[in-house]
Coordinates of all heavy atoms in Angstrom, one line a residue:
M1 N 103.5 -22.0 -81.3 CA 104.7 -22.9 -81.4 C 104.4 -24.0 -80.5 O 104.3 -24.1 -79.3 CB 105.9 -22.1 -81.0 CG 107.2 -22.9 -81.1 SD 108.7 -22.0 -80.6 CE 109.0 -21.1 -82.2
P2 N 104.4 -25.3 -81.2 CA 104.3 -26.6 -80.4 C 105.4 -26.7 -79.4 O 106.6 -26.5 -79.8 CB 104.3 -27.6 -81.5 CG 104.0 -26.9 -82.9 CD 104.6 -25.5 -82.6
S3 N 104.9 -27.3 -78.3 CA 106.0 -27.5 -77.3 C 105.6 -28.8 -76.4 O 104.5 -29.2 -76.5 CB 106.2 -26.3 -76.4 OG 105.2 -26.0 -75.6
S4 N 106.6 -29.2 -75.7 CA 106.5 -30.4 -74.9 C 107.4 -30.2 -73.6 O 108.4 -29.6 -73.7 CB 106.9 -31.7 -75.7 OG 106.6 -32.8 -75.0
H5 N 107.0 -30.8 -72.5 CA 107.7 -30.7 -71.3 C 107.9 -32.0 -70.6 O 107.0 -32.8 -70.6 CB 107.1 -29.6 -70.3 CG 107.7 -29.4 -69.1 ND1 108.8 -28.5 -69.0 CD2 107.6 -29.9 -67.9 CE1 109.3 -28.5 -67.7 NE2 108.5 -29.3 -67.1
V6 N 109.0 -32.2 -69.9 CA 109.2 -33.3 -69.0 C 110.0 -32.9 -67.8 O 110.9 -32.0 -67.9 CB 109.9 -34.5 -69.8 CG1 111.3 -34.1 -70.1 CG2 109.8 -35.7 -69.0
N7 N 109.7 -33.6 -66.6 CA 110.5 -33.4 -65.5 C 111.1 -34.8 -65.1 O 110.4 -35.8 -65.0 CB 109.6 -33.1 -64.3 CG 108.9 -31.6 -64.5 OD1 109.6 -30.7 -64.8 ND2 107.6 -31.5 -64.2
V8 N 112.4 -34.8 -65.2 CA 113.1 -36.2 -65.1 C 113.8 -36.1 -63.7 O 114.7 -35.3 -63.3 CB 114.2 -36.2 -66.1 CG1 114.9 -37.6 -66.0 CG2 113.6 -36.1 -67.6
A9 N 113.3 -37.0 -62.8 CA 113.8 -37.1 -61.5 C 115.2 -37.7 -61.5 O 115.5 -38.7 -62.0 CB 113.0 -38.1 -60.6
T10 N 116.1 -36.9 -60.9 CA 117.5 -37.4 -60.8 C 118.3 -36.3 -59.9 O 118.0 -35.1 -59.9 CB 118.3 -37.3 -62.2 OG1 119.7 -37.7 -61.9 CG2 118.2 -36.0 -63.0
A11 N 119.1 -36.8 -59.2 CA 120.0 -36.0 -58.2 C 121.2 -35.4 -59.0 O 121.9 -34.6 -58.6 CB 120.6 -36.8 -57.1
H12 N 121.4 -35.8 -60.3 CA 122.5 -35.4 -61.1 C 122.0 -34.4 -62.4 O 122.6 -34.3 -63.3 CB 123.2 -36.5 -61.8 CG 123.5 -37.5 -60.8 ND1 124.6 -37.2 -59.8 CD2 123.1 -38.8 -60.4 CE1 124.8 -38.3 -59.0 NE2 123.9 -39.2 -59.4
A13 N 120.9 -33.6 -62.1 CA 120.3 -32.8 -63.2 C 121.4 -31.8 -63.7 O 121.5 -31.7 -64.9 CB 119.1 -32.1 -62.6
S14 N 122.0 -31.1 -62.8 CA 123.0 -30.1 -63.3 C 124.1 -30.8 -64.2 O 124.5 -30.2 -65.2 CB 123.6 -29.3 -62.1 OG 124.5 -28.5 -62.6
R15 N 124.6 -31.9 -63.8 CA 125.6 -32.6 -64.6 C 125.1 -33.0 -66.0 O 125.8 -32.7 -67.0 CB 126.0 -33.9 -63.9 CG 127.1 -34.6 -64.7 CD 127.4 -36.1 -64.2 NE 127.6 -36.0 -62.8 CZ 127.6 -37.2 -62.0 NH1 127.4 -38.4 -62.6 NH2 127.8 -37.2 -60.8
Y16 N 123.9 -33.5 -66.1 CA 123.3 -33.9 -67.4 C 123.0 -32.7 -68.2 O 123.3 -32.6 -69.5 CB 122.1 -34.7 -67.2 CG 122.3 -36.0 -66.4 CD1 121.4 -36.4 -65.6 CD2 123.5 -36.6 -66.6 CE1 121.6 -37.7 -64.9 CE2 123.8 -37.8 -65.8 CZ 122.8 -38.3 -65.0 OH 123.0 -39.5 -64.3
L17 N 122.5 -31.6 -67.7 CA 122.3 -30.3 -68.3 C 123.6 -29.8 -68.9 O 123.7 -29.5 -70.2 CB 121.7 -29.3 -67.3 CG 121.4 -27.9 -67.9 CD1 120.3 -27.3 -67.0 CD2 122.7 -27.0 -67.9
Q18 N 124.6 -29.8 -68.1 CA 126.0 -29.2 -68.7 C 126.6 -30.2 -69.7 O 127.1 -29.6 -70.7 CB 126.9 -29.0 -67.5 CG 126.4 -27.9 -66.5 CD 127.5 -27.7 -65.4 OE1 128.5 -27.2 -65.6 NE2 126.9 -28.2 -64.1
Q19 N 126.5 -31.5 -69.6 CA 126.9 -32.5 -70.5 C 126.3 -32.3 -71.8 O 127.0 -32.2 -72.9 CB 126.8 -33.9 -70.0 CG 127.8 -34.3 -69.1 CD 127.6 -35.8 -68.6 OE1 126.6 -36.1 -68.0 NE2 128.6 -36.6 -69.0
L20 N 125.0 -32.1 -71.9 CA 124.2 -32.0 -73.1 C 124.5 -30.7 -73.7 O 124.8 -30.7 -75.0 CB 122.7 -32.1 -72.8 CG 121.8 -32.2 -74.2 CD1 122.2 -33.4 -74.9 CD2 120.4 -32.1 -73.7
C21 N 124.7 -29.6 -73.0 CA 124.9 -28.3 -73.6 C 126.4 -28.3 -74.2 O 126.6 -27.8 -75.3 CB 124.9 -27.3 -72.6 SG 123.1 -26.9 -72.1
K22 N 127.4 -28.9 -73.4 CA 128.8 -29.0 -73.9 C 128.8 -29.9 -75.2 O 129.6 -29.6 -76.2 CB 129.7 -29.5 -72.9 CG 129.9 -28.5 -71.8 CD 130.8 -29.1 -70.7 CE 130.9 -28.1 -69.4 NZ 131.7 -28.7 -68.4
H23 N 128.1 -31.0 -75.2 CA 128.1 -31.9 -76.3 C 127.6 -31.2 -77.6 O 128.1 -31.5 -78.7 CB 127.1 -33.1 -76.0 CG 126.9 -34.0 -77.1 ND1 127.9 -35.0 -77.4 CD2 125.9 -34.3 -77.9 CE1 127.5 -35.8 -78.5 NE2 126.3 -35.3 -78.7
W24 N 126.6 -30.4 -77.5 CA 126.0 -29.8 -78.7 C 126.6 -28.3 -79.1 O 126.4 -27.8 -80.1 CB 124.5 -29.6 -78.7 CG 123.8 -31.0 -79.0 CD1 124.3 -31.9 -80.0 CD2 122.6 -31.5 -78.7 NE1 123.5 -32.9 -80.1 CE2 122.4 -32.7 -79.3 CE3 121.6 -31.0 -77.7 CZ2 121.3 -33.5 -79.2 CZ3 120.6 -31.8 -77.5 CH2 120.4 -33.1 -78.2
A25 N 127.4 -27.9 -78.2 CA 127.9 -26.6 -78.3 C 128.8 -26.4 -79.6 O 128.9 -25.2 -80.1 CB 128.8 -26.1 -77.2
H26 N 129.4 -27.4 -80.1 CA 130.2 -27.3 -81.2 C 129.4 -27.3 -82.6 O 129.9 -26.9 -83.6 CB 131.2 -28.6 -81.4 CG 130.6 -29.9 -81.6 ND1 129.8 -30.5 -80.7 CD2 130.4 -30.6 -82.8 CE1 129.3 -31.6 -81.2 NE2 129.6 -31.6 -82.5
K27 N 128.1 -27.6 -82.5 CA 127.2 -27.6 -83.7 C 126.1 -26.7 -83.7 O 125.6 -26.2 -84.8 CB 126.6 -29.0 -83.7 CG 127.4 -30.1 -84.5 CD 126.6 -31.4 -84.4 CE 126.0 -31.7 -85.8 NZ 125.5 -33.1 -85.8
F28 N 125.7 -26.3 -82.4 CA 124.4 -25.3 -82.4 C 124.7 -24.3 -81.3 O 125.6 -24.4 -80.4 CB 123.3 -26.2 -81.9 CG 123.0 -27.4 -82.7 CD1 123.2 -28.7 -82.2 CD2 122.4 -27.3 -83.9 CE1 123.0 -29.8 -83.1 CE2 122.1 -28.3 -84.8 CZ 122.4 -29.6 -84.3
P29 N 124.0 -23.1 -81.5 CA 124.1 -22.0 -80.5 C 123.6 -22.6 -79.1 O 122.6 -23.2 -79.0 CB 123.1 -21.0 -81.0 CG 122.9 -21.3 -82.5 CD 123.0 -22.8 -82.6
V30 N 124.4 -22.4 -78.1 CA 124.2 -22.9 -76.8 C 124.4 -21.8 -75.7 O 125.5 -21.2 -75.9 CB 125.0 -24.2 -76.5 CG1 124.9 -24.7 -75.0 CG2 124.6 -25.3 -77.5
E31 N 123.6 -21.8 -74.7 CA 124.0 -20.8 -73.6 C 123.6 -21.7 -72.3 O 122.6 -22.3 -72.3 CB 123.2 -19.6 -73.6 CG 123.4 -18.6 -74.7 CD 122.4 -17.4 -74.6 OE1 122.0 -17.0 -73.5 OE2 122.2 -16.9 -75.7
F32 N 124.5 -21.7 -71.4 CA 124.2 -22.4 -70.2 C 125.1 -22.1 -69.0 O 126.1 -21.5 -69.1 CB 124.4 -23.9 -70.4 CG 125.8 -24.4 -70.5 CD1 126.5 -25.1 -69.4 CD2 126.5 -24.3 -71.7 CE1 127.7 -25.5 -69.5 CE2 127.8 -24.8 -71.8 CZ 128.4 -25.3 -70.7
D33 N 124.6 -22.3 -67.8 CA 125.3 -22.3 -66.5 C 124.9 -23.6 -65.8 O 124.1 -24.5 -66.3 CB 124.9 -21.0 -65.7 CG 123.5 -20.9 -65.4 OD1 122.9 -21.9 -65.0 OD2 123.0 -19.7 -65.3
P34 N 125.3 -23.8 -64.6 CA 125.0 -25.1 -63.9 C 123.4 -25.4 -63.7 O 123.2 -26.6 -63.6 CB 125.7 -25.0 -62.6 CG 126.9 -24.1 -62.9 CD 126.3 -23.1 -63.8
N35 N 122.6 -24.3 -63.7 CA 121.2 -24.5 -63.4 C 120.3 -24.2 -64.6 O 119.0 -24.5 -64.4 CB 120.8 -23.7 -62.3 CG 121.6 -24.1 -61.0 OD1 121.7 -25.2 -60.7 ND2 122.2 -23.1 -60.4
H36 N 120.8 -23.7 -65.7 CA 119.9 -23.4 -66.8 C 120.6 -23.5 -68.1 O 121.8 -23.1 -68.2 CB 119.4 -21.9 -66.6 CG 118.5 -21.4 -67.8 ND1 117.2 -21.8 -67.9 CD2 118.7 -20.6 -68.8 CE1 116.7 -21.3 -69.0 NE2 117.6 -20.5 -69.5
G37 N 120.0 -24.1 -69.0 CA 120.6 -24.1 -70.4 C 119.6 -24.0 -71.5 O 118.5 -24.3 -71.4
V38 N 120.1 -23.4 -72.6 CA 119.3 -23.2 -73.9 C 120.1 -23.7 -75.1 O 121.3 -23.3 -75.3 CB 118.9 -21.8 -74.1 CG1 118.0 -21.6 -75.3 CG2 118.1 -21.2 -72.9
I39 N 119.5 -24.6 -75.9 CA 120.2 -25.2 -77.1 C 119.2 -24.9 -78.3 O 118.1 -25.3 -78.2 CB 120.5 -26.6 -76.9 CG1 121.3 -26.9 -75.7 CG2 121.2 -27.2 -78.2 CD1 121.3 -28.4 -75.2
D40 N 119.7 -24.2 -79.3 CA 118.9 -23.9 -80.5 C 119.3 -24.9 -81.6 O 120.3 -24.7 -82.3 CB 119.1 -22.5 -81.0 CG 118.3 -21.5 -80.0 OD1 117.2 -21.7 -79.7 OD2 118.9 -20.5 -79.7
L41 N 118.7 -26.1 -81.5 CA 118.9 -27.1 -82.5 C 118.3 -26.8 -83.9 O 117.4 -26.0 -83.8 CB 118.4 -28.5 -82.0 CG 119.1 -28.9 -80.7 CD1 118.1 -29.7 -79.9 CD2 120.3 -29.8 -81.1
S42 N 118.7 -27.4 -84.9 CA 118.0 -27.2 -86.2 C 116.5 -27.7 -86.0 O 115.7 -27.1 -86.9 CB 118.7 -28.0 -87.3 OG 118.9 -29.4 -87.0
L43 N 116.2 -28.7 -85.2 CA 114.8 -29.1 -85.1 C 113.9 -28.2 -84.3 O 112.8 -28.2 -84.4 CB 114.8 -30.5 -84.4 CG 115.2 -31.7 -85.2 CD1 115.3 -32.9 -84.2 CD2 114.2 -32.0 -86.2
G44 N 114.6 -27.5 -83.3 CA 113.9 -26.5 -82.4 C 114.7 -26.2 -81.3 O 115.9 -26.5 -81.2
R45 N 114.1 -25.6 -80.3 CA 114.7 -25.1 -79.1 C 114.6 -26.1 -77.9 O 113.5 -26.5 -77.7 CB 114.3 -23.8 -78.7 CG 114.8 -23.2 -77.4 CD 114.4 -21.8 -77.2 NE 115.4 -21.0 -77.8 CZ 115.8 -19.7 -77.5 NH1 115.0 -19.1 -76.6 NH2 116.7 -19.1 -78.2
T46 N 115.6 -26.3 -77.1 CA 115.5 -27.1 -75.9 C 116.0 -26.1 -74.7 O 117.0 -25.5 -74.8 CB 116.5 -28.3 -76.0 OG1 116.1 -29.1 -77.0 CG2 116.4 -29.0 -74.7
V47 N 115.1 -26.0 -73.7 CA 115.4 -25.3 -72.5 C 115.4 -26.1 -71.3 O 114.4 -27.0 -71.2 CB 114.3 -24.1 -72.3 CG1 114.6 -23.3 -71.0 CG2 114.3 -23.2 -73.6
M48 N 116.5 -26.1 -70.5 CA 116.5 -27.0 -69.4 C 116.9 -26.2 -68.1 O 117.6 -25.2 -68.1 CB 117.7 -28.0 -69.6 CG 117.5 -28.9 -70.8 SD 119.0 -30.0 -71.1 CE 120.1 -28.9 -71.6
D49 N 116.2 -26.7 -67.0 CA 116.5 -26.1 -65.7 C 116.7 -27.3 -64.8 O 116.1 -28.3 -64.8 CB 115.3 -25.3 -65.2 CG 115.2 -24.0 -66.0 OD1 116.1 -23.1 -65.9 OD2 114.3 -23.9 -66.7
A50 N 117.8 -27.1 -63.9 CA 118.2 -28.2 -63.0 C 118.1 -27.8 -61.6 O 118.3 -26.6 -61.3 CB 119.7 -28.5 -63.3
D51 N 117.6 -28.7 -60.8 CA 117.5 -28.4 -59.3 C 118.0 -29.7 -58.6 O 118.4 -30.6 -59.3 CB 116.1 -27.9 -58.8 CG 114.9 -28.9 -59.1 OD1 115.3 -30.2 -59.1 OD2 113.9 -28.5 -59.3
G52 N 118.0 -29.7 -57.3 CA 118.4 -30.9 -56.6 C 117.7 -32.2 -56.8 O 118.2 -33.2 -56.4
A53 N 116.5 -32.1 -57.3 CA 115.7 -33.3 -57.5 C 115.4 -33.7 -58.9 O 115.0 -34.9 -59.1 CB 114.3 -33.0 -56.8
A54 N 115.5 -32.7 -59.9 CA 115.0 -33.1 -61.2 C 115.6 -32.2 -62.3 O 116.2 -31.1 -62.0 CB 113.5 -33.0 -61.4
L55 N 115.6 -32.7 -63.5 CA 115.9 -32.0 -64.7 C 114.6 -31.6 -65.4 O 114.0 -32.6 -65.7 CB 116.9 -32.7 -65.7 CG 117.3 -32.1 -66.9 CD1 118.0 -30.8 -66.7 CD2 118.3 -33.0 -67.7
H56 N 114.3 -30.3 -65.6 CA 113.1 -29.9 -66.2 C 113.5 -29.4 -67.6 O 114.3 -28.6 -67.9 CB 112.5 -28.8 -65.5 CG 112.5 -29.1 -63.9 ND1 111.4 -29.7 -63.4 CD2 113.3 -28.6 -62.9 CE1 111.6 -29.8 -62.1 NE2 112.7 -29.2 -61.8
I57 N 112.8 -30.1 -68.6 CA 113.1 -29.9 -70.0 C 111.9 -29.4 -70.7 O 110.9 -30.1 -70.7 CB 113.7 -31.1 -70.6 CG1 114.8 -31.7 -69.8 CG2 114.2 -30.9 -72.0 CD1 115.3 -33.1 -70.3
T58 N 112.1 -28.4 -71.6 CA 110.9 -28.0 -72.4 C 111.5 -27.9 -73.8 O 112.6 -27.3 -74.1 CB 110.4 -26.6 -72.0 OG1 109.8 -26.7 -70.8 CG2 109.3 -26.1 -73.1
V59 N 110.9 -28.6 -74.8 CA 111.3 -28.5 -76.3 C 110.2 -27.8 -77.0 O 109.0 -27.9 -76.7 CB 111.6 -29.9 -76.8 CG1 112.9 -30.5 -76.1 CG2 110.5 -30.8 -76.8
S60 N 110.6 -27.0 -77.9 CA 109.6 -26.3 -78.8 C 110.2 -26.2 -80.2 O 111.4 -26.3 -80.5 CB 109.4 -24.9 -78.3 OG 110.5 -24.2 -78.2
A61 N 109.2 -26.3 -81.2 CA 109.6 -26.2 -82.5 C 108.6 -25.4 -83.4 O 107.5 -25.3 -82.9 CB 109.7 -27.7 -83.1
D62 N 109.0 -25.1 -84.5 CA 108.1 -24.4 -85.5 C 107.0 -25.3 -86.1 O 106.0 -24.8 -86.3 CB 108.8 -23.6 -86.6 CG 109.7 -22.5 -86.2 OD1 109.3 -21.9 -85.1 OD2 110.7 -22.1 -86.6
E63 N 107.4 -26.6 -86.2 CA 106.5 -27.5 -86.9 C 106.1 -28.6 -85.9 O 107.0 -29.1 -85.2 CB 107.1 -28.1 -88.0 CG 107.5 -27.1 -89.2 CD 108.2 -27.9 -90.3 OE1 108.1 -29.1 -90.4 OE2 108.8 -27.1 -91.1
A64 N 104.9 -28.9 -85.7 CA 104.4 -30.0 -84.8 C 105.1 -31.3 -85.0 O 105.4 -32.0 -84.1 CB 102.9 -30.0 -84.9
G65 N 105.5 -31.6 -86.3 CA 106.0 -32.8 -86.6 C 107.4 -33.0 -86.0 O 108.0 -34.1 -85.9
S66 N 108.0 -31.9 -85.7 CA 109.5 -31.9 -85.2 C 109.5 -32.1 -83.8 O 110.5 -32.5 -83.2 CB 110.1 -30.6 -85.5 OG 110.3 -30.3 -86.8
I67 N 108.4 -32.0 -83.0 CA 108.4 -32.1 -81.5 C 108.8 -33.6 -81.1 O 109.6 -33.7 -80.3 CB 107.1 -31.7 -80.9 CG1 106.9 -30.2 -80.9 CG2 106.9 -32.2 -79.5 CD1 107.8 -29.4 -80.0
E68 N 108.1 -34.5 -81.7 CA 108.4 -35.9 -81.4 C 109.8 -36.3 -81.6 O 110.5 -37.0 -80.8 CB 107.5 -36.9 -82.2 CG 107.6 -38.3 -81.7 CD 106.6 -39.2 -82.4 OE1 105.5 -38.7 -82.8 OE2 106.9 -40.5 -82.5
R69 N 110.4 -35.8 -82.7 CA 111.8 -36.1 -83.1 C 112.7 -35.4 -82.0 O 113.7 -36.0 -81.6 CB 112.1 -35.7 -84.4 CG 113.6 -35.8 -84.8 CD 113.9 -37.3 -85.2 NE 115.3 -37.3 -85.5 CZ 116.1 -38.2 -84.9 NH1 115.7 -38.9 -83.9 NH2 117.4 -38.2 -85.3
L70 N 112.4 -34.2 -81.7 CA 113.2 -33.5 -80.7 C 113.2 -34.2 -79.3 O 114.2 -34.3 -78.7 CB 112.7 -32.0 -80.6 CG 113.6 -31.0 -79.9 CD1 115.0 -31.0 -80.3 CD2 113.0 -29.6 -80.1
E71 N 112.0 -34.6 -78.9 CA 111.8 -35.3 -77.7 C 112.7 -36.5 -77.7 O 113.5 -36.8 -76.7 CB 110.4 -35.8 -77.5 CG 109.4 -34.7 -77.1 CD 108.0 -35.3 -77.1 OE1 107.7 -36.4 -77.7 OE2 107.1 -34.5 -76.7
S72 N 112.8 -37.2 -78.8 CA 113.5 -38.5 -78.9 C 115.0 -38.2 -78.9 O 115.8 -38.9 -78.2 CB 113.1 -39.1 -80.1 OG 113.9 -40.3 -80.4
V73 N 115.5 -37.2 -79.6 CA 116.9 -36.8 -79.6 C 117.4 -36.5 -78.3 O 118.5 -36.9 -77.8 CB 117.2 -35.7 -80.7 CG1 118.6 -35.1 -80.6 CG2 116.9 -36.2 -82.1
V74 N 116.7 -35.7 -77.6 CA 117.1 -35.1 -76.2 C 117.0 -36.3 -75.3 O 118.0 -36.4 -74.5 CB 116.1 -34.0 -75.7 CG1 116.4 -33.7 -74.2 CG2 116.3 -32.7 -76.6
T75 N 116.0 -37.2 -75.3 CA 115.9 -38.3 -74.3 C 117.1 -39.2 -74.6 O 117.7 -39.7 -73.7 CB 114.6 -39.1 -74.6 OG1 113.4 -38.2 -74.3 CG2 114.5 -40.3 -73.8
D76 N 117.4 -39.6 -75.8 CA 118.4 -40.5 -76.2 C 119.8 -40.0 -75.7 O 120.6 -40.8 -75.1 CB 118.5 -40.8 -77.7 CG 117.3 -41.6 -78.2 OD1 116.5 -42.1 -77.3 OD2 117.1 -41.7 -79.4
H77 N 120.1 -38.8 -75.8 CA 121.3 -38.2 -75.4 C 121.5 -38.2 -73.9 O 122.5 -38.7 -73.4 CB 121.6 -36.8 -76.0 CG 122.0 -36.8 -77.4 ND1 121.2 -37.0 -78.4 CD2 123.3 -36.6 -77.9 CE1 122.0 -37.1 -79.6 NE2 123.2 -36.7 -79.3
I78 N 120.5 -37.8 -73.2 CA 120.5 -37.7 -71.7 C 120.7 -39.2 -71.2 O 121.4 -39.5 -70.3 CB 119.4 -37.0 -71.1 CG1 119.5 -35.5 -71.5 CG2 119.4 -37.1 -69.7 CD1 118.4 -34.6 -71.1
K79 N 119.9 -40.1 -71.7 CA 120.0 -41.5 -71.2 C 121.4 -42.0 -71.5 O 122.0 -42.8 -70.6 CB 119.0 -42.4 -72.0 CG 117.6 -42.2 -71.5 CD 116.7 -43.2 -72.0 CE 115.3 -43.2 -71.3 NZ 114.4 -44.2 -71.8
R80 N 122.1 -41.6 -72.6 CA 123.5 -42.0 -72.7 C 124.4 -41.4 -71.7 O 125.3 -42.1 -71.1 CB 124.0 -41.6 -74.1 CG 123.9 -42.7 -75.1 CD 124.5 -42.4 -76.4 NE 123.4 -41.9 -77.3 CZ 123.5 -41.0 -78.2 NH1 124.7 -40.4 -78.5 NH2 122.5 -40.7 -79.0
F81 N 124.2 -40.3 -71.3 CA 125.0 -39.6 -70.2 C 124.7 -40.2 -68.9 O 125.6 -40.3 -68.0 CB 124.8 -38.1 -70.2 CG 125.1 -37.4 -71.4 CD1 124.3 -36.3 -71.8 CD2 126.1 -37.7 -72.1 CE1 124.6 -35.6 -72.9 CE2 126.5 -37.0 -73.3 CZ 125.7 -35.9 -73.7
A82 N 123.5 -40.7 -68.7 CA 123.0 -41.2 -67.4 C 122.9 -42.7 -67.4 O 122.2 -43.4 -66.7 CB 121.6 -40.7 -67.1
F83 N 123.9 -43.4 -67.9 CA 123.9 -44.8 -68.1 C 124.0 -45.5 -66.7 O 123.6 -46.7 -66.7 CB 125.0 -45.4 -69.0 CG 126.4 -45.0 -68.5 CD1 127.1 -46.0 -67.7 CD2 127.0 -43.9 -68.8 CE1 128.3 -45.7 -67.2 CE2 128.4 -43.6 -68.4 CZ 129.0 -44.5 -67.6
R84 N 124.4 -44.8 -65.7 CA 124.5 -45.4 -64.3 C 123.1 -45.5 -63.7 O 122.9 -46.0 -62.6 CB 125.4 -44.7 -63.5 CG 126.9 -44.9 -64.0 CD 127.8 -44.2 -63.1 NE 129.2 -44.2 -63.5 CZ 129.8 -43.5 -64.3 NH1 129.1 -42.4 -64.9 NH2 131.0 -43.6 -64.8
E85 N 122.1 -44.8 -64.1 CA 120.8 -44.7 -63.5 C 119.7 -44.8 -64.6 O 119.9 -44.5 -65.8 CB 120.6 -43.5 -62.6 CG 120.6 -42.2 -63.4 CD 120.4 -41.0 -62.5 OE1 119.4 -41.0 -61.7 OE2 121.1 -40.0 -62.6
E86 N 118.5 -45.3 -64.2 CA 117.4 -45.5 -65.0 C 116.5 -44.3 -64.9 O 115.9 -44.1 -64.0 CB 116.6 -46.7 -64.6 CG 115.5 -47.1 -65.5 CD 115.9 -47.6 -67.0 OE1 117.0 -48.2 -67.0 OE2 115.2 -47.4 -67.9
L87 N 116.5 -43.5 -66.0 CA 115.7 -42.2 -66.0 C 114.4 -42.5 -66.7 O 114.4 -43.2 -67.6 CB 116.4 -41.0 -66.7 CG 117.7 -40.6 -66.0 CD1 118.4 -39.6 -66.8 CD2 117.7 -40.2 -64.6
M88 N 113.4 -41.9 -66.2 CA 112.0 -41.9 -66.8 C 111.7 -40.6 -67.5 O 111.8 -39.5 -66.9 CB 111.0 -42.3 -65.7 CG 111.2 -43.6 -65.0 SD 111.2 -45.0 -66.0 CE 109.6 -45.0 -66.6
F89 N 111.3 -40.7 -68.7 CA 110.9 -39.5 -69.5 C 109.4 -39.7 -69.8 O 109.1 -40.6 -70.7 CB 111.7 -39.4 -70.8 CG 113.1 -39.0 -70.6 CD1 114.0 -39.9 -70.0 CD2 113.5 -37.8 -70.7 CE1 115.3 -39.5 -69.9 CE2 114.8 -37.3 -70.6 CZ 115.7 -38.2 -70.2
D90 N 108.5 -38.9 -69.4 CA 107.1 -38.9 -69.6 C 106.7 -37.6 -70.2 O 106.2 -36.6 -69.5 CB 106.3 -39.2 -68.4 CG 104.9 -39.4 -68.6 OD1 104.5 -39.5 -69.8 OD2 104.0 -39.3 -67.7
W91 N 107.0 -37.4 -71.5 CA 106.7 -35.9 -72.1 C 105.3 -35.7 -72.1 O 104.5 -36.5 -72.4 CB 107.3 -36.1 -73.6 CG 108.8 -36.1 -73.6 CD1 109.6 -37.2 -73.8 CD2 109.6 -35.0 -73.6 NE1 110.9 -36.9 -73.9 CE2 111.0 -35.6 -73.8 CE3 109.5 -33.7 -73.5 CZ2 112.2 -34.8 -73.7 CZ3 110.7 -32.9 -73.4 CH2 112.0 -33.4 -73.7
K92 N 105.1 -34.4 -71.9 CA 103.6 -33.8 -71.9 C 103.7 -32.8 -72.9 O 104.3 -31.8 -72.9 CB 103.3 -33.3 -70.5 CG 103.4 -34.2 -69.3 CD 102.3 -35.2 -69.3 CE 102.4 -36.1 -68.0 NZ 102.0 -37.4 -68.1
R93 N 102.7 -32.9 -73.9 CA 102.6 -31.8 -74.9 C 101.7 -30.8 -74.4 O 100.7 -31.0 -73.8 CB 101.8 -32.5 -76.3 CG 102.6 -33.6 -76.8 CD 103.8 -33.2 -77.7 NE 104.6 -34.3 -78.1 CZ 104.4 -35.1 -79.2 NH1 103.4 -34.9 -80.0 NH2 105.3 -36.1 -79.4
A94 N 102.2 -29.5 -74.8 CA 101.4 -28.4 -74.4 C 100.2 -28.2 -75.3 O 100.3 -28.6 -76.5 CB 102.3 -27.1 -74.5
E95 N 99.1 -27.8 -74.8 CA 97.9 -27.6 -75.6 C 98.1 -26.4 -76.5 O 98.6 -25.4 -76.1 CB 96.7 -27.4 -74.7 CG 96.3 -28.6 -73.8 CD 95.9 -29.8 -74.7 OE1 95.3 -29.7 -75.7 OE2 96.3 -31.0 -74.3
A96 N 97.6 -26.5 -77.7 CA 97.7 -25.4 -78.7 C 96.8 -24.4 -78.2 O 95.7 -24.7 -77.9 CB 97.4 -25.9 -80.1
A97 N 97.3 -23.1 -78.3 CA 96.4 -22.1 -77.9 C 95.4 -21.6 -79.0 O 95.6 -21.8 -80.1 CB 97.2 -20.8 -77.4

């Protein structure tokens, strides 16, 4: 299963994790607490972990072509929530086994 990962430096990781999960909970299966969230989007799965320094995000999809779109959708939504700060997203694709 193709996947990609990013570590986004922010002191507000838990807030953004919860906002994204709540935002999509009306449309997709979502499970979350302040430090961990899983969202099963139609494009694929997003898994997030928050700590005091960063938001750690992994996206995975059945089709390799969906990974780039999923990265973009997740990035765009979090950047909207984080309009008060400039977040950097440097996605790293996992090597196929």
Side-chain angles (χ1 to χ4, degrees):
M1 178 175 282
S3 67
S4 185
H5 181 80
V6 67
N7 297 313
V8 182
T10 177
H12 306 290
S14 179
R15 178 189 313 164
Y16 301 146
L17 179 155
Q18 293 178 75
Q19 281 181 292
L20 190 61
C21 288
K22 288 175 186 176
H23 175 76
W24 276 331
H26 69 284
K27 271 176 107 169
F28 304 107
V30 172
E31 294 178 28
F32 72 98
D33 63 35
N35 299 310
H36 179 76
V38 178
I39 306 166
D40 286 314
L41 299 147
S42 54
L43 287 171
R45 174 171 273 204
T46 300
V47 178
M48 298 177 290
D49 290 291
D51 60 36
L55 179 58
H56 310 279
I57 309 167
T58 300
V59 295
S60 56
D62 291 331
E63 298 176 19
S66 297
I67 289 292
E68 187 174 331
R69 178 76 181 123
L70 193 50
E71 290 171 350
S72 177
V73 167
V74 170
T75 297
D76 290 347
H77 278 77
I78 292 174
K79 282 186 173 183
R80 265 188 257 147
F81 299 142
F83 64 91
R84 291 180 183 89
E85 64 180 311
E86 185 72 29
L87 299 180
M88 299 301 296
F89 288 79
D90 185 16
W91 290 96
K92 305 286 187 208
R93 302 277 167 94
E95 295 297 322

